[in-house]
Amino acid sequence: DVVMTQSPLSLPVTLGQPASISCRSSQSLVHSDGNTYLNWFQQRPGQSPRRLIYKISNRDSGVPDRFSGSGSATDFTLKISRVEAEDVGVYYCMQGTHWPYTFGQGTRLEIK
Amino acid sequence: EVQVVESGGGLVQPGGSLRLSCSASGFAFSTYPMDWFRQAPGKELEYVSAISSNGGSTYYADSVKGRFTISRDNSKNTLYLQMISLRAEDTAVYYCVRSKSWDYWGQGTLVTVSS
């Protein structure tokens, strides 16, 4: 199975400051169809996961533009340019290239 | 509006069975492969099972292989997960999601395996 490793696992951030989460995969996530199925999800306390970013860098509808995704092959990053209170929660990267699809351990973002 | 609504969870004793359902609306259900995920309390998300759009192909995580069966009824826009020989470690919220997009998540249904 592809192992997804996130860091940090805990991320205290001051309101208005930037935040960055790293996600590394144990093998390349480039699919034979040419796509890289690397997604980022946000899970607010008590809520279901919400997809923020798909295929590395495509922001979902309704997702604020302070969220951005980047990376390639095995190394990916989610950035929040200015953290707001509503961003508190757990962030997961997920690969959908290799079966079985796997998630990172999650990064808990909290306000400092 | 795309919606998926999971149901069928509950409290069951170890070794027991449950059948989860997922009712989909707002999209062409029969054209999408579908996935089941789960999340144990306080834990990360875990992939459970997948099914192709016509139901002809199915996939299972090693942790549930031989105990869970995924199926679908495209005439009813419904996805199922039959679970037998349940264990304490199957306790989780179960979600159904459109595969390859993973864009719409329901509220999930809680399965608790406990005596």
Side-chain angles (χ1 to χ4, degrees):
Chain A
D1 297 2
V2 176
V3 177
M4 305 295 287
T5 304
Q6 287 182 232
S7 63
L9 300 185
S10 178
L11 185 55
V13 184
T14 301
L15 285 173
Q17 292 301 299
S20 180
I21 301 171
S22 170
C23 176
R24 289 196 166 96
S25 57
S26 59
Q27 58 184 275
S28 173
L29 300 186
V30 180
H31 195 275
S32 56
D33 66 9
N35 290 306
T36 300
Y37 293 99
L38 186 283
N39 307 285
W40 289 97
F41 293 89
Q42 174 195 62
Q43 190 170 31
R44 290 172 170 150
Q47 294 188 12
S48 302
R50 169 199 183 194
R51 194 182 70 175
L52 297 176
I53 303 282
Y54 62 97
K55 287 192 273 188
I56 303 177
S57 60
N58 296 276
R59 198 181 309 114
D60 269 276
S61 174
V63 174
D65 61 7
R66 63 179 183 275
F67 288 91
S68 64
S70 63
S72 63
T74 62
D75 203 345
F76 306 93
T77 303
L78 176 71
K79 291 184 178 176
I80 309 173
S81 58
R82 295 173 308 280
V83 170
E84 297 189 7
E86 66 178 19
D87 300 336
V88 165
V90 181
Y91 291 80
Y92 296 95
C93 60
M94 174 219 163
Q95 68 84 15
T97 296
H98 304 285
W99 175 263
Y101 306 145
T102 47
F103 291 84
Q105 318 95 301
T107 295
R108 186 172 301 276
L109 187 149
E110 63 180 42
I111 303 301
K112 202 186 291 184
Chain B
E1 180 193 0
V2 173
Q3 269 199 314
V4 290
V5 179
E6 302 93 343
S7 62
L11 175 63
V12 61
Q13 292 190 337
S17 302
L18 274 179
R19 188 176 84 153
L20 306 184
S21 298
C22 168
S23 178
S25 60
F27 66 99
F29 178 76
S30 63
T31 68
Y32 278 83
M34 296 292 293
D35 298 331
W36 282 102
F37 293 88
R38 68 184 180 185
Q39 187 172 34
K43 300 294 187 182
E44 67 208 57
L45 292 154
E46 180 189 13
Y47 200 79
V48 175
S49 183
I51 189 166
S52 59
S53 57
N54 65 4
S57 297
T58 57
Y59 308 89
Y60 301 94
D62 287 344
S63 56
V64 306
K65 202 173 294 182
R67 300 186 301 120
F68 289 13
T69 303
I70 190 172
S71 62
R72 64 192 298 161
D73 185 337
N74 285 344
S75 69
K76 295 181 178 178
N77 287 355
T78 303
L79 177 72
Y80 302 101
L81 187 68
Q82 177 69 51
M83 307 184 295
I84 66 170
S85 303
L86 283 162
R87 306 167 179 166
E89 54 265 35
D90 296 318
T91 294
V93 175
Y94 286 73
Y95 299 98
C96 75
V97 193
R98 295 197 301 190
S99 191
K100 282 304 182 187
S101 59
W102 308 289
D103 47 359
Y104 292 95
W105 293 64
Q107 287 303 110
T109 187
L110 175 62
V111 172
T112 304
V113 184
S114 174
S115 54

